[in-house]
Amino acid sequence: MLRVVKVRLYPNSQQQQLLAQAFGSCRWLWNYCLNLINQTYKETGKGLSGYEVKKIIPQLKKEYEWLSLTYSQCLQQVCLNLGVAFNNFFEKRAKYPRFKSKHGKQSIQYPQNVKVADSYVSLPKIGDVSAIIHRPIEGKVKTVTISKNCYNQYFAAILFDDGQDKPLSNAEGKAIGIDLGLTHFAITSNGSKFDNPRIITKHEKNLKLKQQQLSRKQKGSKNRIKSRKKVARVHRKIANCREDFLHKLSRRIVNENQVVVVENLNVLGMMQNHKLAKSIHQVGWGMFCTMLKYKAEAEGKVYQEVDRFFPSSKTCHVCLNQVGSLPLDIRNWTCESCQTKHDRDINAAINLRNEGLRILTSGTGDKACCPDVRRSRGGRKKSTTALSVGQEAHTYP
């Protein structure tokens, strides 16, 4: 099974210069090949694959001798990654590939010939770079991606095969439904509520001060570079705090449950609401769901997503009666059919858990909610459909 361990690197001044040269060469090659593909498509109506643009590297080395200073397989991997980026675009998994800038994060990828020891990582044409290996890397190293952030910190993401088979998923065990929110970050079906840490709010004053100082510095000056690093340091602190919270919460949920059910949220669509965009941006729902998914799959547990249009908040989990409208400001409501008092978020989490179990047991993944099915005014029922596991079949006309 493939695993990834990200470690911190501490290159010396000479190694930093060599890495900067490698970053620049790979970035230049990416931009050159992307421009070549764009021009070829405009002239002929046909594009180029990653393997086709890789063949022009020897010719480019003759024209630009400084390309030979970078490890050849790093340059080849740039062309292959560009081909993968176009495939992701055509299959609608990502946006159109963009040109890379020398500002911001930089990265290169070594597909082989990298040695990982106890206290260093050996890179071709770079040498032995000091590293803190905080986890054992047992298995065959596949690829190593070297990256540098805006605060001039270096990292190595080591992909290796531990030689073990991926565990088969098993849905037998405790199941939990998770409803994500803003006031409370996560509300579970067993009644637990985890508060939103609001990390950006805690550092907002410091970040505003550092950004004001940056805006007053003259462009191109050394003081502006120093001020930019101070801003990057605050952003790094925010990102680290957010990842720490998400990692701890996702690990706790995966360890305590066998089946994890969440809602497939349209985060980009929800960001269009300018009143909630900032709050949605800082919580990290997408990152949290990604952590739940890969951690559950690595341990043979089940991660299930429910369709975003499933009326989890408006449906009573006791009698399955659905209300017509339920504004966001209403956090508690009473079912008109069975008179059960509901906490909006806990009720939604229970419905998500039941719907996730229904999808798993049905084996088809069909939706339980049908747009063409409506309730009758008198309460009579004309057709039947089972909406959840472990409950009686309820009917909707």
Side-chain angles (χ1 to χ4, degrees):
M1 185 169 61
L2 296 178
R3 295 182 178 274
V4 179
V5 173
K6 189 174 183 179
V7 300
R8 178 78 180 273
L9 299 180
Y10 295 91
N12 54 37
S13 58
Q14 182 180 2
Q15 291 172 344
Q16 290 182 13
Q17 184 177 0
L18 294 175
L19 286 173
Q21 192 174 37
F23 291 145
S25 299
C26 293
R27 182 181 64 248
W28 180 89
L29 182 61
W30 172 282
N31 294 338
Y32 181 90
C33 294
L34 179 56
N35 181 68
L36 179 62
I37 293 176
N38 293 339
Q39 293 295 332
T40 303
Y41 180 77
K42 290 180 180 179
E43 296 174 359
T44 64
K46 296 181 180 179
L48 299 174
S49 65
Y51 292 96
E52 291 175 340
V53 295
K54 188 177 71 171
K55 297 178 182 178
I56 67 174
I57 294 180
Q59 181 181 355
L60 291 176
K61 285 185 177 180
K62 296 179 181 179
E63 299 179 9
Y64 308 96
E65 297 181 357
W66 44 269
L67 280 177
S68 301
L69 300 177
T70 304
Y71 187 49
S72 60
Q73 293 195 11
C74 292
L75 299 177
Q76 296 174 10
Q77 195 65 33
V78 169
C79 300
L80 298 180
N81 291 341
L82 182 59
V84 173
F86 271 101
N87 290 336
N88 292 336
F89 166 72
F90 291 128
E91 296 179 6
K92 298 182 179 180
R93 291 194 297 264
K95 295 183 179 180
Y96 192 84
R98 298 182 298 176
F99 292 98
K100 293 188 176 181
S101 171
K102 65 178 181 180
H103 305 289
K105 182 180 178 181
Q106 307 293 323
S107 65
I108 56 175
Q109 190 173 23
Y110 290 86
Q112 58 182 2
N113 297 333
V114 178
K115 181 181 178 182
V116 181
D118 294 335
S119 60
Y120 66 89
V121 177
S122 181
L123 304 174
K125 290 194 174 184
I126 302 295
D128 297 341
V129 183
S130 299
I132 297 181
I133 312 296
H134 60 282
R135 290 187 180 181
I137 300 175
E138 300 175 352
K140 183 180 179 181
V141 177
K142 295 290 186 178
T143 61
V144 176
T145 302
I146 309 298
S147 61
K148 185 190 75 168
N149 60 16
C150 299
Y151 195 63
N152 292 334
Q153 293 178 325
Y154 294 84
F155 299 91
I158 305 171
L159 174 67
F160 64 97
D161 188 357
D162 58 3
Q164 300 179 1
D165 295 332
K166 186 176 181 179
L168 298 177
S169 59
N170 183 13
E172 296 181 0
K174 185 179 178 181
I176 190 172
I178 304 175
D179 181 58
L180 302 177
L182 295 178
T183 303
H184 298 283
F185 176 79
I187 302 92
T188 62
S189 56
N190 55 18
S192 301
K193 293 185 178 181
F194 301 93
D195 292 334
N196 183 2
R198 302 185 185 276
I199 299 171
I200 292 183
T201 305
K202 296 179 181 178
H203 298 83
E204 191 171 18
K205 185 176 180 180
N206 186 24
L207 180 61
K208 180 181 179 180
L209 178 62
K210 297 295 190 297
Q211 288 176 337
Q212 287 176 344
Q213 295 174 355
L214 175 63
S215 64
R216 298 189 184 102
K217 300 298 186 293
Q218 183 179 0
K219 292 185 178 180
S221 63
K222 293 184 178 179
N223 287 334
R224 185 177 179 85
I225 296 176
K226 295 179 182 178
S227 183
R228 181 184 59 82
K229 291 182 179 179
K230 292 181 180 180
V231 175
R233 184 174 183 177
V234 179
H235 281 293
R236 178 179 61 89
K237 178 67 175 179
I238 295 173
N240 290 344
C241 293
R242 181 189 295 112
E243 290 184 4
D244 179 72
F245 169 76
L246 298 180
H247 272 298
K248 290 179 179 178
L249 180 57
S250 60
R251 172 51 58 192
R252 174 180 174 180
I253 292 175
V254 171
N255 288 346
E256 295 177 353
N257 302 277
Q258 184 67 25
V259 179
V260 180
V261 183
V262 297
E263 188 176 7
N264 181 19
L265 297 175
N266 181 16
V267 180
L268 292 179
M270 299 171 67
M271 290 280 289
Q272 301 301 319
N273 186 346
H274 67 280
K275 295 183 179 180
L276 299 176
K278 184 177 180 180
S279 299
I280 295 174
H281 175 73
Q282 69 172 324
V283 290
W285 289 334
M287 184 184 297
F288 178 68
C289 293
T290 301
M291 291 179 180
L292 286 176
K293 184 176 181 180
Y294 79 77
K295 290 178 181 179
E297 292 178 351
E299 299 185 6
K301 299 183 178 182
V302 178
Y303 171 84
Q304 180 65 45
E305 290 187 351
V306 176
D307 189 83
R308 66 190 64 163
F309 296 108
F310 177 71
S312 57
S313 299
K314 298 189 294 183
T315 303
C316 173
H317 71 272
V318 178
C319 65
L320 303 183
N321 178 55
Q322 181 178 337
V323 298
S325 177
L326 194 65
L328 289 176
D329 58 341
I330 299 178
R331 311 312 302 175
N332 297 276
W333 59 283
T334 303
C335 178
E336 298 178 355
S337 178
C338 63
Q339 302 302 318
T340 303
K341 295 183 179 180
H342 293 295
D343 180 285
R344 178 193 182 107
D345 299 325
I346 296 178
N347 176 68
I350 295 175
N351 284 326
L352 289 175
R353 180 198 61 189
N354 295 338
E355 175 66 7
L357 292 177
R358 188 201 65 81
I359 294 175
L360 291 174
T361 55
S362 65
T364 60
D366 293 336
K367 299 179 182 178
C369 53
C370 301
D372 56 342
V373 176
R374 295 291 182 269
R375 293 180 291 112
S376 63
R377 295 181 179 178
R380 296 184 180 180
K381 304 168 183 179
K382 300 180 181 179
S383 60
T384 61
T385 173
L387 292 183
S388 62
V389 179
Q391 294 185 355
E392 297 180 357
H394 289 69
T395 58
Y396 287 84

